[in-house]
Amino acid sequence: MKAASKFLSAASAVTLSAALVVPGALAVQFVATSAAEAAVVSRVEVSGNQRIDAETIRNYITIKPGKAFSSSDIDSAVKALFGTGLFSDVQINQVGSTLVVKVAEYQVVNQVLFQNNKKLKDNALAAAVQLKPRGTFSQATLDADVESVKAAYKRIGRDDVTVTTQVMQLGDNRVNVVFNITEGDRTQIAAINFVGNSAYSSRRLSDVINTKRSSWLSFVLRDDVYDDDKLRADQELLRRFYYNHGYADFQVVSAVGELDSATNKYTVTITVQEGDRYTFGDVSVESTIPEVDSKSLESVVETRKGDVYNAKDVEDSIIALTEKVAGSGYAFAQVTPRGDRNFENHTISVVYTIDQGTKAYIERIEIRGNDRTRDYVIRREFDVSEGDAFNQVLVQRAKKRLEALNYFDKVDISTVPGSQPDQVVLVVDVVEKSTGEFSVGAGYSTGGDTSGPSVEGSITERNFLGRGQFIKLSAGGGKNSRDYSLSFTEPYFLGRRIAAGFDIFKQTREYSNNYDSDTTGATIRFGLPITDSISTQLAYNISQEKYKLDDDCGPTSDADPDGTCDISKAILQGIDESPWIKSSISLGLVYNTIDDMKNPHEGIYATTTAEFAGVGGDAKYVKVTGRGSIYQTLSEQFDLVGLVSAGAGHVEGYGGDGGLRIFDQFQSTDRMIRGFEYGGIGPADSLTGDHLGGTTYFNASAEAQFPMPVIPESFGLRGAVFADAATLYGSKISEAIATQTSTDMKLRASVGVGLMWASPFGPIRIDYAIPVKKEASDDVQEFNFGISTRF
């Protein structure tokens, strides 16, 4: 009991003491707070500053002598001074009636220097780091800059780069920052492995992605640089490839790159799950807008029942429906595809539902990252502008157009809320890339009027002055030729999607049969896209041709069959008519649905041109030519591609005697038929053997292309087997000038093999063809080599 009584007494004493002490403490705290809130100082003293004027520091804070301030004002002053980025430390204390502001200034960077860097120039590294001359120095920024330099080297394939730094004190609070770089060897990609693919070979999938295995060409192509962002983009390329070929369930399970530090090489492994291949089931259009007739819209849908499922066709159908409905006055209409997958018969039925979407307007289009490209170059790729109805389909179309310009490494378009609930802001973020190019190259060709070795140098700019204009200046030649040209194209003439441009050229040739030519000319052209796959071009062409016979050369005649040189009177007549002015108007039409112009597997490329000469000048003729090529994958597993092409042309003179010069008639080329020399078939001078060309030709070719076995796909080599057939006949050369061999239609044919190389210098092709049907007057050339494409 005594203990309990003592405890209670003690507890009472503690309680009583607390009752007395706590109010006292609260009173003291209240007084202190009130004093702080009511604090006034007579002056503000600044210390620790070396470069920054004390008055400047006083102006950054809101505390003034003679005015009351609180602790929150001190906090705000500290934050304001730190916010200037000039100080590494700030302390503010009240000492009596004086407010003491003590600062520690950041050091100032005098120079940022890079040492031992060869693969990346100083300006490229300077753009990558945050530290700049006359800027402030901090260790945190320096550490971040080290990582930025490493990242810059990683982007060019040098993962084992090491970067050390040195901070040199110069006095007066100034420093030089030195980055010492050991660049190391190029990091290569040893292998790209695909796991889980059966429908397509690993070689075929390697063609789809941009990341390539290292090869002896990698030092030129630079396509074997491992990059995580690039690998993520490759996954999207694979998805689109499979989705466009019927594999709607396709997915990339994983994509990883593992670096072997011992060899400094990556091994990339992409694991995929292909799923089943689908075809389109029923395709229909539904509309929840009463005024929109869904039946009338079915004609613009590009997906058809029974066709292999193709995601691109679905996207194109959405765009076509959206534009059709918007053109009918429903700017906010949204088209949503709904797929019904049948797992038993592997079909996907698609219903395109048209709804009246939420009303939203574009308040503004904000463009970021375009330091060089002008805003209007980007804006003109949009079919919508400020104040228009927001349409996601048209925005995505603009994104594809911007990517197709090849001005940017990356294009992102996002939306943020506008100032009103029904308004949005389009934010376009771009990352620019180099669009200029200086190239010097050499080549060799066995055909045409420039056969033999040749060299060429050119300067090209795809985005001239940031205006989106194309300009190219080139000069080159070979043993018997000289070429000079200047080309310019404005892709948006008068603010419309009409390409306008001009070409100026000068060509000289020395022909083996003892005469020379000098052609100077110019072309003014206008190009207009009709649809995404159809375009047309109108051009005016003018040229002056000068021909000169060698001084020691004379024509072969009946009286002098040997002559002083072997040359036909038809050629001599053309030379005598020199100089020759040719003024013409041409109209061309191109249809192009090729999936990949560099490595085509599917699609059609067709072109036709009509030229009318006689708009002034000496030449008077009408010339019509056409050519079409169809590519189709014959075997997806073996990457076997079939090609069927055909062409035709006819030229007809008019006015006067209606004759044509020999130089106006068609000459055979390797694009017409392989296995024969350039100008090696058709009517010929029976006395000299010179081929005089013809007024009409037809040609056809069938070809199968395949990857070369054993050779890695990164080399870009493919083989081909082909069969060609052609005829060149008709002539407007007077028999009084030259007695010709038969001008009737005579069929020629050849079979052969080819080797194609997608080289860094352009597509190179080697063909070996054997004529299986020919005429006695034909000139055979079984081997053909040149830089060319089959389009």
Side-chain angles (χ1 to χ4, degrees):
M1 291 296 292
K2 290 182 179 180
S5 177
K6 290 180 179 180
F7 174 77
L8 290 173
S9 299
S12 299
V14 171
T15 301
L16 180 61
S17 299
L20 295 174
V21 172
V22 170
L26 291 175
V28 171
Q29 183 178 0
F30 175 76
V31 171
T33 302
S34 300
E37 290 178 349
V40 177
V41 294
S42 60
R43 66 192 184 95
V44 177
E45 180 181 299
V46 178
S47 65
N49 57 311
Q50 299 180 32
R51 293 178 296 105
I52 311 301
D53 185 71
E55 189 61 31
T56 301
I57 296 175
R58 293 188 184 99
N59 290 335
Y60 276 116
I61 64 178
T62 59
I63 301 174
K64 304 298 179 184
K67 292 185 179 181
F69 65 92
S70 66
S71 58
S72 62
D73 292 324
I74 293 179
D75 290 340
S76 298
V78 171
K79 292 177 181 178
L81 291 173
F82 271 121
T84 64
L86 301 173
F87 309 106
S88 59
D89 189 28
V90 176
Q91 296 179 12
I92 300 179
N93 297 294
Q94 182 180 355
V95 180
S97 63
T98 301
L99 188 71
V100 178
V101 180
K102 186 176 182 180
V103 297
E105 294 179 355
Y106 276 122
Q107 293 176 306
V108 176
V109 178
N110 180 61
Q111 285 182 298
V112 178
L113 305 172
F114 303 94
Q115 295 185 350
N116 304 318
N117 55 306
K118 297 179 180 178
K119 301 302 179 181
L120 285 177
K121 301 301 182 183
D122 285 1
N123 57 351
L125 292 174
V129 300
Q130 299 178 58
L131 291 175
K132 306 292 182 184
R134 296 183 299 277
T136 58
F137 171 82
S138 73
Q139 186 62 44
T141 304
L142 179 61
D143 293 341
D145 284 347
V146 169
E147 297 304 316
S148 297
V149 171
K150 290 181 179 180
Y153 272 95
K154 186 175 182 179
R155 285 193 292 272
I156 64 169
R158 293 183 178 270
D159 288 45
D160 60 343
V161 63
T162 58
V163 181
T164 59
T165 60
Q166 182 181 2
V167 180
M168 304 174 63
Q169 301 292 335
L170 303 178
D172 295 331
N173 214 31
R174 296 180 304 118
V175 296
N176 279 349
V177 179
V178 182
F179 291 87
N180 297 299
I181 301 170
T182 303
E183 295 181 322
D185 297 325
R186 284 194 74 237
T187 307
Q188 298 180 325
I189 298 179
I192 300 177
N193 302 319
F194 291 90
V195 179
N197 55 306
S198 59
Y200 295 95
S201 66
S202 296
R203 180 188 290 267
R204 177 70 181 104
L205 297 182
S206 296
D207 288 338
V208 174
I209 63 176
N210 289 324
T211 303
K212 303 296 182 183
R213 200 176 101 180
S214 298
S215 68
W216 63 278
L217 282 174
S218 297
F219 78 99
V220 176
L221 299 176
R222 300 294 181 184
D223 56 1
D224 65 333
V225 176
Y226 177 81
D227 183 81
D228 289 332
D229 291 337
K230 189 176 180 180
L231 189 58
R232 280 190 288 271
D234 285 340
Q235 295 179 51
E236 181 59 27
L237 290 175
L238 286 171
R239 278 189 285 268
R240 293 192 66 85
F241 173 76
Y242 271 94
Y243 292 164
N244 291 340
H245 289 81
Y247 294 89
D249 295 330
F250 172 83
Q251 58 179 318
V252 178
V253 178
S254 64
V256 295
E258 297 179 352
L259 178 64
D260 184 342
S261 57
T263 61
N264 198 30
K265 293 182 179 181
Y266 274 99
T267 297
V268 178
T269 303
I270 302 175
T271 304
V272 301
Q273 184 175 321
E274 293 178 328
D276 296 319
R277 195 181 196 195
Y278 291 84
T279 58
F280 283 111
D282 294 328
V283 178
S284 60
V285 179
E286 294 180 353
S287 174
T288 61
I289 305 175
E291 295 81 4
V292 175
D293 181 18
S294 58
K295 290 295 182 182
S296 64
L297 297 174
E298 292 181 353
S299 59
V300 303
V301 175
E302 298 188 18
T303 51
R304 298 288 183 268
K305 183 177 182 179
D307 290 350
V308 174
Y309 176 80
N310 188 313
K312 183 178 183 301
D313 287 345
V314 175
E315 293 175 3
D316 291 343
S317 297
I318 294 172
I319 293 174
L321 287 168
T322 301
E323 292 182 338
K324 185 74 172 179
V325 176
S328 300
Y330 298 93
F332 299 101
Q334 291 183 344
V335 180
T336 305
R338 185 179 70 252
D340 184 9
R341 198 167 307 189
N342 189 317
F343 295 98
E344 295 181 0
N345 57 17
H346 299 131
T347 61
I348 299 178
S349 298
V350 181
V351 178
Y352 298 95
T353 303
I354 303 172
D355 298 309
Q356 181 65 57
T358 304
K359 289 186 177 182
Y361 298 90
I362 298 174
E363 181 175 343
R364 70 177 185 275
I365 299 176
E366 184 177 322
I367 302 172
R368 304 184 302 200
N370 56 320
D371 297 327
R372 183 167 180 271
T373 305
R374 308 197 181 197
D375 274 11
Y376 71 84
V377 173
I378 297 174
R379 289 177 182 274
R380 68 192 184 188
E381 298 302 328
F382 286 82
D383 290 328
V384 293
S385 58
E386 282 90 346
D388 288 349
F390 173 75
N391 189 305
Q392 185 64 42
V393 172
L394 299 183
V395 171
Q396 290 304 311
R397 169 184 276 190
K399 182 176 185 293
K400 291 181 179 179
R401 286 175 176 167
L402 290 171
E403 291 170 339
L405 292 176
N406 202 24
Y407 301 163
F408 311 108
D409 278 324
K410 187 177 182 182
V411 178
D412 284 326
I413 302 179
S414 57
T415 59
V416 297
S419 59
Q420 300 296 327
D422 62 344
Q423 293 184 334
V424 297
V425 176
L426 286 183
V427 180
V428 184
D429 289 297
V430 298
V431 178
E432 293 182 312
K433 66 180 180 181
S434 175
T435 55
E437 181 179 291
F438 172 74
S439 64
V440 177
Y444 184 89
S445 176
T446 58
D449 57 2
T450 59
S451 60
S454 63
V455 295
E456 182 187 37
S458 66
I459 300 174
T460 304
E461 174 55 63
R462 301 191 309 273
N463 188 12
F464 184 58
L465 299 179
R467 299 173 180 270
Q469 299 164 334
F470 174 91
I471 188 169
K472 180 177 181 180
L473 177 65
S474 65
K479 179 180 179 182
N480 301 311
S481 64
R482 300 290 185 275
D483 293 281
Y484 308 93
S485 68
L486 172 65
S487 296
F488 176 83
T489 301
E490 165 56 62
Y492 276 77
F493 183 60
L494 298 178
R496 299 184 178 273
R497 197 165 285 135
I498 299 175
F502 64 83
D503 306 293
I504 302 173
F505 62 90
K506 182 178 179 62
Q507 301 173 341
T508 61
R509 300 287 185 267
E510 299 177 8
Y511 295 94
S512 58
N513 43 358
N514 304 307
Y515 70 95
D516 305 334
S517 70
D518 188 329
T519 304
T520 303
T523 296
I524 300 175
R525 46 186 163 74
F526 299 90
L528 174 66
I530 300 174
T531 68
D532 288 341
S533 56
I534 301 176
S535 61
T536 184
Q537 178 169 297
L538 175 67
Y540 170 72
N541 318 283
I542 186 168
S543 62
Q544 181 188 64
E545 302 173 12
K546 294 181 179 179
Y547 294 89
K548 180 182 178 183
L549 195 67
D550 288 355
D551 294 337
D552 57 350
C553 181
T556 300
S557 64
D558 294 333
D560 184 9
D562 294 329
T564 55
C565 65
D566 191 19
I567 188 170
S568 171
K569 284 185 177 181
I571 297 175
L572 183 63
Q573 182 193 43
I575 295 173
D576 289 341
E577 292 173 341
S578 173
W580 187 262
I581 303 294
K582 185 162 58 176
S583 175
S584 67
I585 294 176
S586 60
L587 178 64
L589 190 67
V590 176
Y591 177 75
N592 183 9
T593 61
I594 297 296
D595 58 345
D596 184 351
M597 294 297 288
K598 294 181 179 179
N599 186 19
H601 280 70
E602 292 180 355
I604 299 174
Y605 187 92
T607 178
T608 181
T609 303
E611 181 183 12
F612 174 78
V615 187
D618 303 311
K620 296 185 184 299
Y621 62 78
V622 177
K623 181 182 291 185
V624 180
T625 59
R627 179 181 177 85
S629 300
I630 302 175
Y631 286 84
Q632 181 64 51
T633 300
L634 304 178
S635 171
E636 295 171 342
Q637 177 64 33
F638 298 104
D639 194 14
L640 182 64
V641 178
L643 163 63
V644 176
S645 61
H650 180 73
V651 59
E652 190 70 39
Y654 69 91
D657 58 5
L660 293 171
R661 299 179 308 156
I662 182 176
F663 305 120
D664 296 329
Q665 298 195 143
F666 294 110
Q667 296 287 341
S668 65
T669 67
D670 65 305
R671 288 174 58 81
M672 187 182 295
I673 185 169
R674 288 161 284 194
F676 297 87
E677 283 189 5
Y678 172 80
I681 68 172
D685 189 317
S686 57
L687 183 62
T688 65
D690 290 326
H691 284 87
L692 307 179
T695 59
T696 306
Y697 74 87
F698 294 96
N699 72 289
S701 178
E703 182 170 297
Q705 301 175 355
F706 50 86
M708 296 297 294
V710 180
I711 299 176
E713 71 282 347
S714 58
F715 277 44
L717 286 174
R718 291 179 67 83
V721 293
F722 59 83
D724 293 348
T727 180
L728 175 64
Y729 64 96
S731 177
K732 293 298 182 179
I733 306 299
S734 172
E735 289 292 332
I737 298 174
T739 303
Q740 303 175 66
T741 59
S742 174
T743 59
D744 297 334
M745 181 186 292
K746 301 286 186 179
L747 185 67
R748 279 83 167 176
S750 64
V751 295
V753 296
L755 182 65
M756 299 168 290
W757 179 31
S759 79
F761 321 104
I764 293 178
R765 180 161 183 141
I766 302 173
D767 288 317
Y768 180 77
I770 301 175
V772 294
K773 186 173 179 56
K774 61 180 180 177
E775 297 296 314
S777 60
D778 294 342
D779 295 328
V780 173
Q781 180 178 286
E782 296 178 344
F783 178 78
N784 185 75
F785 173 86
I787 297 180
S788 65
T789 177
R790 299 305 296 175
F791 292 117

